[in-house]
Amino acid sequence: MPARRDMLRLGLAAAAVGLALPVRARQAPPAPSGGFISRKLNAPVPGGVAVLSLGDAATAPEASYRDRRVLVVREAGRQWIAVVGIPLAVKPGPQGITLRDAAGARQLPFTVGAKDYVAQHITLKNPRQVNPNPDDMRRIEREMAEQSAAYRAYRAGVTPSNLLLDRPVKGGRLSSPFGLRRFFNGEERNPHSGLDFAVPAGTPIKAPAAGVVSLVGDYFFNGKTVFLDHGQGFVSMFCHMSAIDVKVGDTVPRGGVVGRVGATGRATGPHLHWNVSLNDARVDPAIFIGAFKP
Ligand SMILES: [Zn+2]
């Protein structure tokens, strides 16, 4: 049955791999020898970020990880650093980025540690949001392709305004952490790809860093959605919005309003869902706002 096959591909691939058997957190790997940003952002676990020092050459080295270009910035005007997003499905152990500079190409290894992600059970009144019908599936595939492209886009040479991000909404409890293994009406689906803030409908959503609006949509699962491209594959996505105040191509300053909190798409109530992506890997937004729990 094709629909079933699609469901497996869409819903279960990421959920089942590597996360089915939680492993106790091991000793955290040593922090890199870099500066403030490196120490704040380095959380090399599945769904985390590895910050790697790349030296102080005159021009930026080019880095890639799993066939995707990586964000490279100069930290405090000195060392180049690679800020690498680690997909949730990556298993703990040795990994590496590929560096290209005047001297040629070489591998730079790093180690991914383990992290526990707990399970969450959610009840949805609409069974189509658990097992979409064939028409829904066609729509979902189209929408996923569109959103995947927005995550893959890489604007080279654009230095993000800030890597330590502002909270996109004022106040609000962090209601669902990143990486939760989710069961909808008892059926396992994709793990939670972002961070939820419990705030009332209508709360303004502000750009956590400057960016260009790369995609706007109204999607089956995500509802009203905005993608904000901060540069070099560093992307924020906001969804379940009640209203969108921007359009594709708009430049939004840090703190600029992109829309309002809502409960559109697959949501049990009003909240902001915020994804952060680096090199096409969805990573824990809590890392960027100083709220990461190892
Ligand atoms: Zn969410």
Side-chain angles (χ1 to χ4, degrees):
M1 197 166 99
R4 186 68 207 156
R5 201 172 59 232
D6 289 341
M7 278 314 299
L8 287 171
R9 184 156 51 77
L10 294 173
L12 298 178
V17 180
L19 294 169
L21 300 167
V23 184
R24 278 279 137 222
R26 292 183 204 121
Q27 186 186 339
S33 54
F36 183 70
I37 292 171
S38 301
R39 288 194 302 275
K40 283 282 192 187
L41 296 186
N42 191 54
V45 295
V49 173
V51 182
L52 306 172
S53 295
L54 307 181
D56 57 0
T59 54
E62 195 180 302
S64 59
Y65 175 53
R66 299 164 67 97
D67 292 329
R68 298 279 189 268
R69 281 284 294 275
V70 163
L71 170 64
V72 174
V73 294
R74 214 190 253 284
E75 178 166 39
R78 325 177 276 120
Q79 291 266 327
W80 295 105
I81 53 170
V83 185
V84 185
I86 304 165
L88 196 51
V90 163
K91 295 220 173 33
Q95 292 285 309
I97 63 170
T98 305
L99 271 185
R100 276 181 201 85
D101 55 20
R106 63 198 156 94
Q107 286 287 309
L108 186 63
F110 66 97
T111 303
V112 174
K115 184 173 179 349
D116 276 343
Y117 289 105
V118 298
Q120 177 188 40
H121 290 263
I122 298 168
T123 304
L124 293 172
K125 288 191 191 112
N126 181 356
R128 265 174 68 192
Q129 291 183 333
V130 183
N131 288 304
N133 69 33
D135 279 346
D136 295 337
M137 290 306 301
R138 278 186 283 278
R139 176 181 165 192
I140 291 164
E141 286 204 18
R142 223 170 34 237
E143 294 177 352
M144 286 190 60
E146 204 172 289
Q147 294 175 84
S148 297
Y151 283 124
R152 279 198 308 272
Y154 189 90
R155 286 195 300 141
V158 178
T159 300
S161 61
N162 46 299
L163 294 181
L164 305 178
L165 299 172
D166 303 328
R167 289 189 176 222
V169 286
K170 204 161 175 255
R173 191 169 50 85
L174 303 181
S175 47
S176 276
F178 171 89
L180 280 177
R181 298 170 48 227
R182 294 185 309 177
F183 296 80
F184 291 98
N185 301 357
E187 297 192 42
E188 186 157 19
R189 293 293 179 261
N190 277 338
H192 194 223
S193 59
L195 177 62
D196 288 353
F197 296 79
V199 280
T203 304
I205 302 166
K206 295 180 177 177
V212 172
V213 177
S214 55
L215 183 63
V216 163
D218 189 354
Y219 299 123
F220 186 85
F221 288 127
N222 288 341
K224 291 198 168 84
T225 300
V226 169
F227 279 72
L228 192 60
D229 180 337
H230 304 302
Q232 291 188 57
F234 188 30
V235 175
S236 279
M237 183 275 268
F238 313 99
C239 66
H240 306 315
M241 297 164 72
S242 59
I244 293 174
D245 294 359
V246 290
K247 58 183 191 312
V248 171
D250 282 358
T251 298
V252 183
R254 179 178 183 176
V257 173
V258 298
R260 312 275 155 181
V261 170
T264 54
R266 187 174 65 186
T268 50
H271 69 281
L272 172 65
H273 173 110
W274 175 34
N275 273 6
V276 173
S277 187
L278 281 167
N279 49 269
D280 194 22
R282 259 53 80 206
V283 294
D284 188 350
I287 293 168
F288 300 86
I289 56 170
F292 179 67
K293 295 203 178 75

